[in-house]
């Protein structure tokens, strides 16, 4: 496929591609940062805007819902119409929605703008992985996904720290507004750079490449039915909410049947189900879902415990998890360099490191006085962070490496939808364990330990899947037959095992 850049008269260069990647990673950073930065600003919203508990809940969960619902349709749209256009449109809407959130005059308007912001973030995310697929090959692609893994780990972990710094600097009344305003200069600069640097890859739209509105509706309703009771687990009392889970499963089953029918009729489906015939994609997506169910919950229960039980400020709580973020960035960069040589072995090592780090935090909480927890958790945070970076980056590379480039956006959307659903499910389960123990008048330290052990359980599920995949790869030394990347992997396939 011929690549035409924003300025066709200038040839594509190595430096230009990596600068274009920087634009993608910057946009990805601020969109993922907003999944966690607002958590520490909720008391400021209550104080300065009069946001009720329900409104605060929707500020957090509404973003996650809209983000998750937009991923697959947005990825498919990028595959069809061009990822550059979709990326820039999503980034522009995200930046404008951030400004609207900061200027919101009431909690209702804030929730509305937050939903728009989440949908725009879901538009940006799959274009990033799709552009990486198109701009890079082989070792360079692995390095690029390594940098993306760094962004995922760091943005999630530094959100509480960034929010704490802003609230501390601006004050409680208006601090929450600046949590959103901080996106404006970054978004404007990234948009301007994207106009100049992002490549103009043609889309695949044609007579048979039409959008699939029925598929969008079935998938969207199915994901919504699965995620809604999970993200609203603490706010919706009663067991009736769990009736949505089988409804969601039924809708996703209907979606699967509809997409198979689309394929049989020769029509382009929303999600190419042949992707799931690739073991690397299926196992990688399941590992990612299980891992994010355990990974993101660590910051959730740690933030609750440190601020509510240990008396830490929002800033101090953010500083406590900073070693995890820094180590995660280092681990992701390292994983991106080594994945083509060691493959799934790196994921197994990384998941083992995360489990070990979380168990170390459990031991520290059990043995160390509460006032010394910040310093005492540094070493296990570093171990867990390194493991996280070594997990996310190589797993993303291995999951997407054999996906056809023309389906890269939709595949990235599926992968990240699993991450969002996993995060919501993990927070619901771990949060239930944590709050149930507190409700039974159990010590907060024990509640934290039980919550972290539940997170470890999710990590161990991902580890079992990775070990099973590693064993299969060891048995089958050659790349999977019929792989879309088989030709490219003849040189590196023996190293990705």
């Amino acid at each position: 496929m011929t690549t035409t850049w924003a300025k066709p008269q200038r040839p594509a260069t190595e430096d230009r591609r990596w600068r274009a990647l920087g634009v993608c990673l910057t946009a990805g950073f601020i969109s993922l940062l907003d999944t966690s930065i607002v958590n520490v600003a909720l008391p400021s919203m209550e104080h300065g805007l009069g946001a009720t508990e329900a409104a605060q809940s929707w500020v957090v969960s509404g973003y996650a819902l809209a983000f998750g619902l937009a991923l697959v349709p947005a990825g498919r749209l990028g595959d069809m119409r061009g990822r550059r256009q979709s990326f820039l449109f999503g980034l522009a809407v995200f930046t404008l929605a951030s400004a609207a959130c900061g200027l919101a005059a009431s909690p209702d308007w804030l929730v509305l703008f937050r939903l728009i912001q989440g949908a725009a973030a879901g538009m940006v995310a799959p274009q990033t992985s799709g552009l990486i697929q198109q701009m890079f090959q082989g070792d360079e692609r692995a390095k690029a996904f390594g940098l993306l893994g760094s962004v995922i780990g760091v943005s999630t972990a530094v959100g509480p720290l960034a929010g704490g710094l802003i609230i501390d600097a601006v004050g409680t009344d208006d601090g929450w507004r600046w949590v959103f305003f901080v996106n404006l200069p970054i978004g404007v600069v990234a948009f301007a750079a994207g106009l100049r640097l992002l490549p103009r890859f043609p889309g695949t739209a044609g007579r048979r490449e039409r959008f699939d509105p029925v598929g969008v509706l079935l998938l969207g309703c199915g994901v919504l039915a699965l995620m809604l009771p999970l993200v609203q687990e603490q706010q919706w009392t009663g067991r009736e909410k769990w009736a949505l889970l089988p409804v969601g499963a039924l809708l996703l089953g209907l979606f699967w049947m509809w997409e198979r029918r689309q394929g049989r009729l020769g029509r382009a489906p929303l999600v190419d189900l042949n992707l799931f015939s690739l073991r690397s994609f299926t196992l990688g997506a399941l590992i990612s879902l299980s891992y994010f169910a355990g990974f993101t919950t660590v910051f959730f229960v740690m933030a609750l415990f440190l601020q509510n039980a240990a008396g830490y400020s929002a800033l101090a709580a953010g500083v406590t998890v900073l070693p995890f973020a820094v180590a995660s960035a280092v681990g992701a960069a390292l994983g991106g360099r080594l994945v083509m040589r060691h493959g799934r072995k790196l994921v197994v090592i990384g998941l083992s490191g995360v489990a070990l780090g979380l168990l170390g935090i459990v031991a520290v909480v059990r043995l160390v006085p509460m006032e010394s927890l910040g310093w005492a958790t540094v070493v296990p945070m570093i171990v867990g962070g390194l493991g996280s970076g070594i997990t996310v980056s190589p797993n993303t590379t291995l999951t997407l490496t054999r996906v056809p480039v023309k389906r890269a956006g939709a595949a990235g959307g599926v992968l990240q939808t699993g991450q969002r659903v996993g995060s919501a499910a993990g927070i619901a389960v771990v949060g239930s364990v944590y709050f149930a123990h507190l409700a039974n008048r159990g010590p907060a330290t024990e509640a934290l330990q039980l919550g972290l052990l539940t997170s470890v359980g999710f990590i161990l599920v991902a580890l079992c899947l990775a070990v099973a995949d590693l064993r299969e790869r060891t048995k089958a030394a050659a790349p999977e037959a019929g792989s879309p990347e088989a030709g490219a992997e003849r040189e590196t396939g023996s190293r990705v095992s």
Side-chain angles (χ1 to χ4, degrees):
M1 181 179 292
T2 302
T3 301
T4 306
W5 296 79
K7 294 183 178 181
Q9 70 274 19
R10 291 183 59 186
T13 63
E14 292 288 316
D15 182 61
R16 189 177 180 85
R17 283 188 299 133
W18 289 104
R19 284 186 290 161
L21 175 64
V23 173
C24 295
L25 297 183
T26 299
F29 178 83
I30 57 175
S31 62
L32 289 170
L33 183 74
D34 268 50
T35 62
S36 60
I37 192 173
V38 299
N39 291 333
V40 297
L42 295 178
S44 176
M45 293 176 193
E46 181 179 8
H47 188 272
L49 190 65
T52 63
E53 183 177 334
Q56 294 174 50
S57 172
W58 272 99
V59 166
V60 176
S61 61
Y63 183 89
L65 280 170
F67 196 137
L69 291 173
L71 283 165
V72 174
R76 180 71 182 118
L77 186 65
D79 291 341
M80 292 175 57
R81 305 299 182 187
R83 298 186 181 107
R84 179 181 185 271
Q85 299 94 310
S86 300
F87 177 92
L88 292 173
F89 176 78
L91 179 58
V93 174
F94 178 87
T95 305
L96 292 173
S98 297
C101 286
L103 295 171
S106 71
D108 291 339
W109 282 110
L110 176 59
V111 170
L112 174 62
F113 294 137
R114 184 71 168 155
L115 290 170
I116 297 172
Q117 188 193 35
M123 171 70 78
V124 169
Q127 316 312 329
T128 298
S129 59
L131 285 166
I132 290 175
Q133 292 279 84
Q134 285 188 299
M135 291 191 295
F136 300 99
Q137 295 291 332
D139 290 337
E140 286 189 334
R141 181 183 290 176
K143 183 180 178 181
F145 274 126
L147 295 173
L148 178 62
S150 298
V151 166
I152 292 173
V154 172
S155 59
T156 303
V158 303
L161 173 62
L165 286 170
I166 292 171
I167 299 296
D168 188 64
V170 179
T172 303
D173 288 344
D174 293 320
W176 68 270
R177 296 185 184 276
W178 288 93
V179 164
F180 298 109
F181 287 152
V182 73
N183 292 329
L184 302 186
I186 302 173
V188 169
V189 170
F191 184 85
L195 283 174
R196 185 170 63 90
L197 294 171
L198 290 178
R200 296 181 185 273
F201 292 110
T204 59
R207 186 177 61 86
R208 297 177 61 189
E209 290 286 313
R210 298 175 180 174
F211 208 60
D212 181 9
V214 176
V216 171
L217 182 64
L218 288 172
L219 179 62
C221 292
V223 173
L224 179 64
L226 286 181
M227 290 187 66
L228 199 55
L230 296 173
V231 298
Q232 292 292 106
E233 198 275 334
Q234 294 299 319
Q235 286 70 38
W236 289 359
T237 58
R239 299 179 179 179
E240 295 81 4
K241 59 178 177 285
W242 301 117
L244 285 173
L245 295 182
V247 173
L250 175 62
L251 289 170
L252 292 179
L254 292 174
F255 168 75
W256 186 276
M257 295 169 61
W258 172 261
E259 295 298 283
R260 289 186 62 183
R261 178 178 179 273
Q262 292 288 92
R264 286 197 302 268
L265 295 176
R267 301 170 184 169
L270 180 65
V271 175
D272 186 354
L273 299 183
N274 289 327
L275 290 173
F276 295 97
S277 66
L278 297 173
R279 190 186 69 240
S280 56
F281 180 81
T282 303
L283 267 293
L286 290 174
I287 290 169
S288 183
L289 186 150
S290 301
Y291 175 69
F292 271 78
F295 158 65
T296 53
T297 56
V298 175
F299 309 108
F300 173 69
V301 294
M302 284 294 292
L304 288 173
F305 174 81
L306 291 173
Q307 294 184 73
N308 296 339
Y312 282 42
S313 66
L315 177 58
V319 170
T320 301
V321 300
L322 184 61
F324 191 105
V326 174
S328 179
V330 173
L334 183 64
R337 294 179 181 275
L338 298 178
V339 62
M340 299 303 288
R341 185 181 308 167
H342 300 290
R344 189 64 75 189
K345 294 176 184 177
L346 277 181
V347 179
V348 172
I349 294 171
L351 290 168
S352 301
V354 176
L356 182 62
L358 295 186
L359 291 174
I361 296 174
V362 171
V364 166
V365 172
R366 187 176 186 86
L367 300 174
V368 176
M370 198 174 294
E371 59 271 14
S372 303
L373 280 180
W375 289 107
T377 58
V378 169
V379 171
M381 283 282 184
I382 291 175
V383 173
L386 284 171
S388 178
I390 294 174
T391 297
V392 175
S393 167
N395 187 64
T396 302
T397 303
L398 295 170
T399 303
L400 297 177
T401 190
R402 297 177 181 176
V403 171
V405 171
K406 67 178 182 178
R407 296 288 184 249
V414 171
L415 181 64
Q416 294 182 64
T417 299
Q419 293 173 0
R420 302 278 74 80
V421 172
S423 297
I427 289 174
V429 173
V430 173
S432 295
V433 171
Y434 180 83
F435 288 116
H437 193 76
L438 292 179
N440 292 329
R441 301 183 183 276
T445 53
E446 290 184 6
L448 178 61
Q449 292 172 51
L450 291 172
L452 291 175
L453 288 173
T454 306
S455 297
V456 172
F458 286 116
I459 301 298
L460 292 179
V461 171
L463 179 58
C464 290
L465 291 169
V467 169
D469 188 39
L470 178 60
R471 288 180 176 176
E472 288 296 321
R473 288 171 180 267
T474 302
K475 292 178 182 178
E480 292 176 10
S483 163
E485 299 283 342
E489 287 189 357
R490 285 192 182 99
E491 297 178 4
T492 60
S494 61
R495 293 181 288 165
V496 184
S497 59

